Amino acid sequence: MARPKPAILLENVNQKTYKAEQVLVAESIYAVFYQEKPINLRTLSHLISYPGPKYKKVSFSNSGHAFNLAERLNKLFKTTDFAVYKLNIGTLCTEAED
């Protein structure tokens, strides 16, 4: 079965490279939480400090990616405390308030 075409809200095409940036409709955002609290996830090397820590995504517009990450983290840390939360609405904030 073919994947349904996404609904495009906005599109901008770079006239030099012909690459397009598209803003697509998403039903929700799915985020991985630990013990009912939002998290960040980073990887780093204990042997060398270069290139420094890399932060990984923990929120996705596709629920499958979030469930896969939660399952992988639960196995890695031998727990069941990682879970996926569906975020439909939020509080608007500005950079000055944060």
Side-chain angles (χ1 to χ4, degrees), residues 48-82:
I48 57 174
S49 61
Y50 181 81
K54 180 179 179 189
Y55 287 83
K56 294 185 172 184
K57 289 177 58 172
V58 294
S59 60
F60 308 90
S61 58
N62 180 318
S63 64
H65 297 301
F67 284 114
N68 288 340
L69 177 61
E71 183 180 329
R72 187 173 65 79
L73 292 173
N74 279 324
K75 284 182 184 175
L76 181 65
F77 293 104
K78 297 178 178 66
T79 185
T80 58
D81 292 336
F82 290 97

Side-chain angles (χ1 to χ4, degrees), residues 9-91:
L9 297 173
L10 299 169
E11 181 177 52
N12 182 291
V13 179
N14 183 317
Q15 296 302 316
K16 291 182 181 176
T17 63
Y18 294 99
K19 289 186 179 180
E21 293 278 345
Q22 295 180 330
V23 177
L24 307 176
V25 173
E27 266 186 44
S28 301
I29 297 296
Y30 301 89
V32 178
F33 280 44
Y34 176 69
Q35 294 180 338
E36 301 180 357
K37 293 186 169 87
I39 62 168
N40 282 320
L41 185 61
R42 72 178 182 181
T43 59
L44 55 108
S45 172
H46 281 278
L47 296 177
I48 57 174
S49 61
Y50 181 81
K54 180 179 179 189
Y55 287 83
K56 294 185 172 184
K57 289 177 58 172
V58 294
S59 60
F60 308 90
S61 58
N62 180 318
S63 64
H65 297 301
F67 284 114
N68 288 340
L69 177 61
E71 183 180 329
R72 187 173 65 79
L73 292 173
N74 279 324
K75 284 182 184 175
L76 181 65
F77 293 104
K78 297 178 178 66
T79 185
T80 58
D81 292 336
F82 290 97
V84 176
Y85 282 74
K86 184 177 182 178
L87 310 173
N88 291 347
I89 193 163
T91 304

